[in-house]
Amino acid sequence: VGFRHLQDGQMAVQRLAEVLEARIRSSGRPTHLQRFGPAYALAAGVGFVWAVNYLRDSSARTAFIRHAREVGSQFFHEWVFDPLQQFCLQLFRRLGADDLVNVQLKELRIEQEALERMLVRFEEVVRYDPVLGELARGPTQEGFDIPVDSTDDLAERYFERSMSNPISNVMQGHLLESC
C-alpha cells in the first residue's frame, strides 16, 4: 500500500512538471537558447569563416596555435595548478616550534614591496596635501618635510584625512594597498 502511494506521488509530480513545462512553452516566453540561438550560430559561423580565412597561412596558423597554448598554459597555471599547489603545501606543511622560520622569503619580499608602496603613497599625500602642509613647517628630519615635534600628530592627521574620504581613497587604491 505504501509503495503504491509512493508511485502515485511520483507520477503526480512528473505530470505536474509536464503541465508546467507545457504552460511555460505556451505562454510565449522563449527559452534562452530559442532567443539567442541564432546569434550564437551567427557568431560561431563568423568565427569559423574568420579562422579558415586567417589561418590559411602556415605561419599565421603556427603563431595562433602558439598563442593559444600560451593562453591555455597561463590559465591552467593561474587558476588550476598554482592554487592547488598552494593548497597542498599549506595542507601538508609541518609546523615547527618557531613559525617565524617557516615564513618564506618570497612572502617577505611581497610584504616589503607593499610597505614600500604605502610609504611612497604616504610621503606623496603628506607632501602635496594642503591640509597637512601646515605640519610640514619648522625643523625637519633628514630630507623629509616632517617636523621633528609633530610626527605623531602628522600620522594622526593623515589617518583622519584618509578615513574622511574612503570612497576617493579606494578609487585611488590607497585603502586597498593598506589592507
Side-chain angles (χ1 to χ4, degrees), residues 32-47:
H32 178 80
L33 188 58
Q34 290 172 336
R35 187 182 312 162
F36 295 108
Y40 293 148
L42 179 65
V46 167

Side-chain angles (χ1 to χ4, degrees), residues 47 49-65:
V49 168
W50 172 83
V52 166
N53 189 25
Y54 179 73
L55 299 176
R56 213 175 274 179
D57 184 27
S58 66
S59 63
R61 190 171 41 246
T62 307
F64 178 77
I65 290 172

Side-chain angles (χ1 to χ4, degrees), residues 5-6 22 34 47 53 83 98 103 135 163:
H5 286 295
L6 181 62
Q34 290 172 336
N53 189 25
D98 188 13
V103 175
L135 292 175
M163 298 320 298

Side-chain angles (χ1 to χ4, degrees), residues 26-111:
S26 67
S27 69
R29 185 174 182 197
T31 63
H32 178 80
L33 188 58
Q34 290 172 336
R35 187 182 312 162
F36 295 108
Y40 293 148
L42 179 65
V46 167
F48 181 73
V49 168
W50 172 83
V52 166
N53 189 25
Y54 179 73
L55 299 176
R56 213 175 274 179
D57 184 27
S58 66
S59 63
R61 190 171 41 246
T62 307
F64 178 77
I65 290 172
R66 184 173 2 115
H67 180 69
R69 277 190 190 139
E70 289 173 0
V71 168
S73 174
Q74 179 182 1
F75 175 82
F76 178 76
H77 280 286
E78 287 181 7
W79 291 97
V80 178
F81 183 74
D82 290 345
L84 188 61
Q85 182 184 25
Q86 290 175 357
F87 173 74
C88 289
L89 286 174
Q90 291 297 322
L91 186 63
F92 299 114
R93 182 178 72 155
R94 294 179 187 244
L95 296 177
D98 188 13
D99 281 343
L100 294 176
V101 175
N102 292 332
V103 175
Q104 296 180 357
L105 182 60
K106 182 178 178 182
E107 293 174 3
L108 290 174
R109 286 186 181 149
I110 290 171
E111 292 297 324

